[in-house]
mmCIF file of all heavy atoms in Angstrom:
data_model
loop_
_atom_site.group_PDB
_atom_site.id
_atom_site.type_symbol
_atom_site.label_atom_id
_atom_site.label_comp_id
_atom_site.label_asym_id
_atom_site.label_seq_id
_atom_site.Cartn_x
_atom_site.Cartn_y
_atom_site.Cartn_z
ATOM 1 N N ALA F 1 69.489 -59.963 -34.300
ATOM 2 C CA ALA F 1 69.000 -58.792 -35.032
ATOM 3 C C ALA F 1 69.033 -59.154 -36.549
ATOM 4 O O ALA F 1 69.747 -59.854 -36.971
ATOM 5 C CB ALA F 1 69.797 -57.506 -34.732
ATOM 6 N N SER F 2 67.977 -58.399 -37.226
ATOM 7 C CA SER F 2 67.988 -58.542 -38.696
ATOM 8 C C SER F 2 67.656 -57.248 -39.223
ATOM 9 O O SER F 2 67.084 -56.247 -38.626
ATOM 10 C CB SER F 2 66.980 -59.581 -39.070
ATOM 11 O OG SER F 2 65.619 -59.131 -38.718
ATOM 12 N N ILE F 3 68.052 -57.160 -40.517
ATOM 13 C CA ILE F 3 67.741 -55.856 -41.341
ATOM 14 C C ILE F 3 67.366 -56.341 -42.747
ATOM 15 O O ILE F 3 67.974 -57.119 -43.306
ATOM 16 C CB ILE F 3 68.894 -54.859 -41.325
ATOM 17 C CG1 ILE F 3 68.525 -53.603 -41.989
ATOM 18 C CG2 ILE F 3 70.125 -55.504 -41.891
ATOM 19 C CD1 ILE F 3 69.382 -52.401 -41.718
ATOM 20 N N SER F 4 66.080 -55.836 -43.181
ATOM 21 C CA SER F 4 65.639 -56.141 -44.496
ATOM 22 C C SER F 4 66.390 -55.334 -45.472
ATOM 23 O O SER F 4 67.104 -54.427 -45.306
ATOM 24 C CB SER F 4 64.092 -55.943 -44.588
ATOM 25 O OG SER F 4 63.916 -54.632 -44.616
ATOM 26 N N ARG F 5 66.088 -55.799 -46.794
ATOM 27 C CA ARG F 5 66.670 -54.991 -47.935
ATOM 28 C C ARG F 5 66.190 -53.592 -47.956
ATOM 29 O O ARG F 5 66.803 -52.720 -48.447
ATOM 30 C CB ARG F 5 66.483 -55.767 -49.190
ATOM 31 C CG ARG F 5 65.093 -55.926 -49.577
ATOM 32 C CD ARG F 5 64.925 -56.790 -50.851
ATOM 33 N NE ARG F 5 63.595 -57.062 -51.108
ATOM 34 C CZ ARG F 5 63.258 -57.889 -52.141
ATOM 35 N NH1 ARG F 5 64.173 -58.454 -52.791
ATOM 36 N NH2 ARG F 5 61.990 -58.108 -52.507
ATOM 37 N N SER F 6 64.960 -53.288 -47.338
ATOM 38 C CA SER F 6 64.445 -52.007 -47.387
ATOM 39 C C SER F 6 64.802 -51.275 -46.081
ATOM 40 O O SER F 6 64.445 -50.054 -45.932
ATOM 41 C CB SER F 6 62.935 -52.053 -47.299
ATOM 42 O OG SER F 6 62.320 -52.672 -46.220
ATOM 43 N N GLY F 7 65.537 -51.922 -45.145
ATOM 44 C CA GLY F 7 66.049 -51.169 -43.984
ATOM 45 C C GLY F 7 65.225 -51.434 -42.735
ATOM 46 O O GLY F 7 65.621 -50.891 -41.633
ATOM 47 N N SER F 8 64.213 -52.327 -42.827
ATOM 48 C CA SER F 8 63.421 -52.610 -41.569
ATOM 49 C C SER F 8 64.244 -53.466 -40.669
ATOM 50 O O SER F 8 64.905 -54.351 -41.043
ATOM 51 C CB SER F 8 62.097 -53.215 -41.943
ATOM 52 O OG SER F 8 61.272 -52.454 -42.803
ATOM 53 N N THR F 9 64.070 -53.173 -39.352
ATOM 54 C CA THR F 9 64.976 -53.972 -38.402
ATOM 55 C C THR F 9 64.124 -54.672 -37.356
ATOM 56 O O THR F 9 63.037 -54.371 -37.147
ATOM 57 C CB THR F 9 65.976 -52.941 -37.708
ATOM 58 O OG1 THR F 9 65.166 -51.892 -37.078
ATOM 59 C CG2 THR F 9 66.832 -52.272 -38.602
ATOM 60 N N TYR F 10 64.832 -55.769 -36.888
ATOM 61 C CA TYR F 10 64.262 -56.483 -35.829
ATOM 62 C C TYR F 10 65.242 -56.745 -34.687
ATOM 63 O O TYR F 10 66.541 -56.999 -35.143
ATOM 64 C CB TYR F 10 63.692 -57.847 -36.357
ATOM 65 C CG TYR F 10 63.449 -58.853 -35.324
ATOM 66 C CD1 TYR F 10 62.274 -58.897 -34.481
ATOM 67 C CD2 TYR F 10 64.520 -59.756 -34.887
ATOM 68 C CE1 TYR F 10 62.060 -59.795 -33.386
ATOM 69 C CE2 TYR F 10 64.347 -60.673 -33.834
ATOM 70 C CZ TYR F 10 63.162 -60.701 -33.113
ATOM 71 O OH TYR F 10 63.053 -61.595 -32.104
ATOM 72 N N TYR F 11 64.835 -56.757 -33.430
ATOM 73 C CA TYR F 11 65.874 -57.033 -32.372
ATOM 74 C C TYR F 11 65.253 -58.049 -31.384
ATOM 75 O O TYR F 11 64.049 -57.974 -31.088
ATOM 76 C CB TYR F 11 66.253 -55.747 -31.675
ATOM 77 C CG TYR F 11 66.946 -54.742 -32.510
ATOM 78 C CD1 TYR F 11 66.173 -53.761 -33.125
ATOM 79 C CD2 TYR F 11 68.352 -54.832 -32.748
ATOM 80 C CE1 TYR F 11 66.809 -52.830 -33.892
ATOM 81 C CE2 TYR F 11 68.958 -53.882 -33.480
ATOM 82 C CZ TYR F 11 68.340 -52.882 -34.099
ATOM 83 O OH TYR F 11 68.945 -52.031 -34.912
ATOM 84 N N ALA F 12 66.072 -58.935 -30.965
ATOM 85 C CA ALA F 12 65.664 -59.764 -29.784
ATOM 86 C C ALA F 12 65.513 -58.894 -28.657
ATOM 87 O O ALA F 12 66.100 -57.871 -28.420
ATOM 88 C CB ALA F 12 66.660 -60.880 -29.618
ATOM 89 N N ASP F 13 64.482 -59.366 -27.834
ATOM 90 C CA ASP F 13 64.248 -58.563 -26.526
ATOM 91 C C ASP F 13 65.430 -58.352 -25.758
ATOM 92 O O ASP F 13 65.718 -57.255 -25.170
ATOM 93 C CB ASP F 13 63.176 -59.229 -25.763
ATOM 94 C CG ASP F 13 61.829 -59.149 -26.371
ATOM 95 O OD1 ASP F 13 61.618 -58.253 -27.269
ATOM 96 O OD2 ASP F 13 60.872 -59.851 -25.952
ATOM 97 N N SER F 14 66.306 -59.359 -25.633
ATOM 98 C CA SER F 14 67.447 -59.294 -24.864
ATOM 99 C C SER F 14 68.536 -58.254 -25.230
ATOM 100 O O SER F 14 69.484 -57.844 -24.535
ATOM 101 C CB SER F 14 68.314 -60.688 -24.831
ATOM 102 O OG SER F 14 68.589 -61.022 -26.093
ATOM 103 N N VAL F 15 68.445 -57.751 -26.559
ATOM 104 C CA VAL F 15 69.468 -56.721 -26.952
ATOM 105 C C VAL F 15 68.805 -55.400 -27.355
ATOM 106 O O VAL F 15 69.550 -54.497 -27.639
ATOM 107 C CB VAL F 15 70.265 -57.294 -28.094
ATOM 108 C CG1 VAL F 15 70.850 -58.599 -27.818
ATOM 109 C CG2 VAL F 15 69.410 -57.355 -29.362
ATOM 110 N N LYS F 16 67.458 -55.369 -27.268
ATOM 111 C CA LYS F 16 66.670 -54.143 -27.649
ATOM 112 C C LYS F 16 67.219 -52.892 -26.863
ATOM 113 O O LYS F 16 67.321 -53.039 -25.635
ATOM 114 C CB LYS F 16 65.302 -54.360 -27.554
ATOM 115 C CG LYS F 16 64.366 -53.591 -28.480
ATOM 116 C CD LYS F 16 62.943 -53.959 -28.373
ATOM 117 C CE LYS F 16 62.714 -55.406 -29.009
ATOM 118 N NZ LYS F 16 61.365 -55.750 -29.111
ATOM 119 N N GLY F 17 67.535 -51.839 -27.568
ATOM 120 C CA GLY F 17 68.020 -50.629 -26.840
ATOM 121 C C GLY F 17 69.496 -50.570 -26.638
ATOM 122 O O GLY F 17 70.107 -49.636 -26.259
ATOM 123 N N ARG F 18 70.127 -51.747 -26.856
ATOM 124 C CA ARG F 18 71.627 -51.758 -26.671
ATOM 125 C C ARG F 18 72.368 -52.017 -28.005
ATOM 126 O O ARG F 18 73.536 -51.532 -28.112
ATOM 127 C CB ARG F 18 71.997 -52.931 -25.698
ATOM 128 C CG ARG F 18 71.420 -52.756 -24.235
ATOM 129 C CD ARG F 18 72.006 -53.753 -23.362
ATOM 130 N NE ARG F 18 71.609 -55.136 -23.658
ATOM 131 C CZ ARG F 18 72.606 -56.078 -23.910
ATOM 132 N NH1 ARG F 18 73.836 -55.735 -23.832
ATOM 133 N NH2 ARG F 18 72.213 -57.295 -24.213
ATOM 134 N N PHE F 19 71.808 -52.829 -28.880
ATOM 135 C CA PHE F 19 72.385 -53.246 -30.127
ATOM 136 C C PHE F 19 71.707 -52.489 -31.240
ATOM 137 O O PHE F 19 70.446 -52.271 -31.299
ATOM 138 C CB PHE F 19 72.353 -54.702 -30.462
ATOM 139 C CG PHE F 19 73.132 -55.498 -29.488
ATOM 140 C CD1 PHE F 19 73.790 -55.035 -28.358
ATOM 141 C CD2 PHE F 19 73.393 -56.828 -29.674
ATOM 142 C CE1 PHE F 19 74.575 -55.932 -27.547
ATOM 143 C CE2 PHE F 19 74.048 -57.786 -28.986
ATOM 144 C CZ PHE F 19 74.743 -57.244 -27.848
ATOM 145 N N THR F 20 72.492 -52.114 -32.296
ATOM 146 C CA THR F 20 71.986 -51.508 -33.480
ATOM 147 C C THR F 20 72.471 -52.177 -34.732
ATOM 148 O O THR F 20 73.694 -52.246 -34.923
ATOM 149 C CB THR F 20 72.270 -50.050 -33.595
ATOM 150 O OG1 THR F 20 71.767 -49.408 -32.364
ATOM 151 C CG2 THR F 20 71.548 -49.385 -34.813
ATOM 152 N N ILE F 21 71.592 -52.687 -35.630
ATOM 153 C CA ILE F 21 72.017 -53.224 -36.826
ATOM 154 C C ILE F 21 71.858 -52.304 -37.950
ATOM 155 O O ILE F 21 70.866 -51.445 -37.992
ATOM 156 C CB ILE F 21 71.160 -54.543 -37.163
ATOM 157 C CG1 ILE F 21 71.809 -55.319 -38.411
ATOM 158 C CG2 ILE F 21 69.729 -54.273 -37.357
ATOM 159 C CD1 ILE F 21 71.249 -56.680 -38.627
ATOM 160 N N SER F 22 72.903 -52.131 -38.886
ATOM 161 C CA SER F 22 72.683 -51.273 -39.980
ATOM 162 C C SER F 22 73.466 -51.876 -41.204
ATOM 163 O O SER F 22 74.147 -52.946 -41.134
ATOM 164 C CB SER F 22 73.400 -49.886 -39.678
ATOM 165 O OG SER F 22 74.744 -50.055 -39.334
ATOM 166 N N ARG F 23 73.302 -51.220 -42.306
ATOM 167 C CA ARG F 23 73.820 -51.770 -43.501
ATOM 168 C C ARG F 23 74.347 -50.635 -44.417
ATOM 169 O O ARG F 23 73.829 -49.607 -44.460
ATOM 170 C CB ARG F 23 72.943 -52.699 -44.299
ATOM 171 C CG ARG F 23 71.679 -52.074 -44.854
ATOM 172 C CD ARG F 23 70.713 -52.997 -45.425
ATOM 173 N NE ARG F 23 71.170 -53.722 -46.512
ATOM 174 C CZ ARG F 23 70.689 -55.001 -46.838
ATOM 175 N NH1 ARG F 23 69.709 -55.492 -46.198
ATOM 176 N NH2 ARG F 23 71.288 -55.641 -47.833
ATOM 177 N N ASP F 24 75.414 -51.014 -45.177
ATOM 178 C CA ASP F 24 75.954 -50.078 -46.106
ATOM 179 C C ASP F 24 76.016 -50.804 -47.428
ATOM 180 O O ASP F 24 76.980 -51.528 -47.722
ATOM 181 C CB ASP F 24 77.374 -49.547 -45.724
ATOM 182 C CG ASP F 24 77.900 -48.456 -46.643
ATOM 183 O OD1 ASP F 24 77.516 -48.371 -47.735
ATOM 184 O OD2 ASP F 24 78.699 -47.741 -46.190
ATOM 185 N N ASN F 25 75.019 -50.547 -48.304
ATOM 186 C CA ASN F 25 75.020 -51.324 -49.522
ATOM 187 C C ASN F 25 76.154 -50.999 -50.504
ATOM 188 O O ASN F 25 76.549 -51.798 -51.355
ATOM 189 C CB ASN F 25 73.656 -51.090 -50.208
ATOM 190 C CG ASN F 25 72.537 -51.671 -49.579
ATOM 191 O OD1 ASN F 25 72.609 -52.649 -48.723
ATOM 192 N ND2 ASN F 25 71.332 -51.197 -49.839
ATOM 193 N N ALA F 26 76.684 -49.844 -50.316
ATOM 194 C CA ALA F 26 77.892 -49.495 -51.285
ATOM 195 C C ALA F 26 79.034 -50.202 -50.851
ATOM 196 O O ALA F 26 79.952 -50.409 -51.687
ATOM 197 C CB ALA F 26 78.105 -47.883 -51.120
ATOM 198 N N LYS F 27 79.199 -50.681 -49.670
ATOM 199 C CA LYS F 27 80.347 -51.481 -49.171
ATOM 200 C C LYS F 27 79.963 -52.977 -48.990
ATOM 201 O O LYS F 27 80.801 -53.732 -48.470
ATOM 202 C CB LYS F 27 80.840 -50.807 -47.788
ATOM 203 C CG LYS F 27 81.423 -49.406 -47.914
ATOM 204 C CD LYS F 27 81.884 -48.952 -46.586
ATOM 205 C CE LYS F 27 82.524 -47.667 -46.720
ATOM 206 N NZ LYS F 27 83.099 -47.116 -45.355
ATOM 207 N N ASN F 28 78.772 -53.407 -49.360
ATOM 208 C CA ASN F 28 78.297 -54.699 -49.185
ATOM 209 C C ASN F 28 78.592 -55.252 -47.741
ATOM 210 O O ASN F 28 79.072 -56.399 -47.501
ATOM 211 C CB ASN F 28 79.135 -55.647 -50.113
ATOM 212 C CG ASN F 28 78.576 -55.596 -51.568
ATOM 213 O OD1 ASN F 28 77.794 -54.771 -51.902
ATOM 214 N ND2 ASN F 28 79.011 -56.446 -52.419
ATOM 215 N N THR F 29 78.206 -54.373 -46.785
ATOM 216 C CA THR F 29 78.566 -54.759 -45.406
ATOM 217 C C THR F 29 77.342 -54.420 -44.531
ATOM 218 O O THR F 29 76.596 -53.473 -44.717
ATOM 219 C CB THR F 29 79.750 -53.829 -45.027
ATOM 220 O OG1 THR F 29 80.923 -54.193 -45.791
ATOM 221 C CG2 THR F 29 80.043 -54.229 -43.399
ATOM 222 N N VAL F 30 77.158 -55.340 -43.554
ATOM 223 C CA VAL F 30 76.219 -55.196 -42.430
ATOM 224 C C VAL F 30 76.915 -55.036 -41.231
ATOM 225 O O VAL F 30 77.957 -55.763 -40.942
ATOM 226 C CB VAL F 30 75.143 -56.274 -42.464
ATOM 227 C CG1 VAL F 30 75.811 -57.620 -42.260
ATOM 228 C CG2 VAL F 30 74.108 -56.042 -41.485
#
């Protein structure tokens, strides 16, 4: 999975619907 600086996300087909990527810029954490 990936997440852009603007928040757009991508998921591999094998994990779509099961995994969620997110980011917290205040905590420098994905």
Side-chain angles (χ1 to χ4, degrees):
S2 66
I3 185 166
S4 73
R5 57 187 181 186
S6 64
S8 299
T9 57
Y10 162 85
Y11 297 96
D13 287 344
S14 58
V15 306
K16 210 170 285 185
R18 300 188 297 121
F19 291 11
T20 303
I21 189 170
S22 61
R23 64 190 298 160
D24 185 337
N25 290 340
K27 295 183 178 179
N28 282 12
T29 301
V30 61

